[in-house]
Amino acid sequence: MELSVGQVAKRAEVAVSALHFYEQKGMITSWRNQGNQRRYDSSVLRRIAVIKTGQQLGLSLEEIKQALSSLPLNRAPSQEEWQQMGQVWRSILDEKIWLMTKLRDELGECIGCGCLSLSKCRLRNPQDALADTLGNGATLWKQQK
Ligand code: FES
């Protein structure tokens, strides 16, 4: 079943501009009918539901796009395809939970500090992968000088 842009916007409860944005990002697709009007396969409603759910979970558009890449563009996904997408989301969410737990546990060191220093604060610079082996901050840059 094919839907117009207005029908998709109404049924998915999103703005038409959001549909154009998702399409521009390659998250959904449409085609033009003989009257040059956009048409969507009804399976687009599930893809939009995935996008909205991912946004509610705090995933970035790139992470949502990555998960959507395992789903077919113009037909309903099979059970196996849903499971594959679920695995992608699970690993993304596991990583976010790990990072948030780590940040929460390290928050205690910052209470009363407030420096938010790039060189020593784990909250400000949580991705400092070399901190455990080389020390905090721009260690490699300091070594090169
Ligand atoms: S705010 Fe100072 S170490 Fe985090």
Side-chain angles (χ1 to χ4, degrees), residues 36-145:
N36 199 30
Q37 295 171 321
R38 273 179 217 269
R39 290 293 180 254
Y40 296 87
D41 184 85
S42 60
S43 63
V44 77
L45 297 171
R46 284 199 178 219
R47 291 182 73 86
I48 295 167
V50 168
I51 294 168
K52 289 172 73 177
T53 303
Q55 288 171 331
Q56 286 173 339
L57 290 171
L59 301 182
S60 69
L61 277 182
E62 208 47 51
E63 290 167 332
I64 296 168
K65 192 174 169 182
Q66 181 189 355
L68 284 172
S69 68
S70 63
L71 300 180
L73 271 174
N74 286 317
R75 65 171 170 79
S78 67
Q79 179 83 20
E80 188 177 313
E81 288 164 336
W82 275 120
Q83 287 174 348
Q84 283 177 342
M85 195 212 75
Q87 290 293 336
V88 173
W89 267 22
R90 185 176 185 87
S91 64
I92 292 171
L93 289 172
D94 282 348
E95 188 177 325
K96 285 188 180 298
I97 290 167
W98 175 82
L99 182 62
M100 293 305 288
T101 302
K102 185 172 176 278
L103 288 174
R104 181 204 61 200
D105 293 347
E106 291 173 353
L107 180 63
E109 296 172 20
C110 292
I111 290 175
C113 177
C115 71
L116 294 175
S117 164
L118 197 57
S119 64
K120 71 172 194 175
C121 181
R122 294 257 183 171
L123 277 183
R124 172 83 194 279
N125 192 10
Q127 307 292 343
D128 194 352
L130 297 176
D132 292 335
T133 54
L134 299 175
N136 294 324
T139 307
L140 292 177
W141 182 77
K142 285 185 232 165
Q143 287 177 350
Q144 290 173 349
K145 286 192 100 188

Side-chain angles (χ1 to χ4, degrees), residues 4-52:
S4 69
V5 67
Q7 289 172 315
V8 173
K10 185 176 181 183
R11 288 177 64 174
E13 298 180 348
V14 295
V16 169
S17 60
L19 295 176
H20 293 164
F21 177 76
Y22 298 151
E23 194 165 348
Q24 190 179 41
K25 295 290 180 187
M27 301 167 92
I28 61 174
T29 60
S30 68
W31 67 91
R32 299 276 178 171
N33 67 9
Q34 290 181 337
N36 199 30
Q37 295 171 321
R38 273 179 217 269
R39 290 293 180 254
Y40 296 87
D41 184 85
S42 60
S43 63
V44 77
L45 297 171
R46 284 199 178 219
R47 291 182 73 86
I48 295 167
V50 168
I51 294 168
K52 289 172 73 177

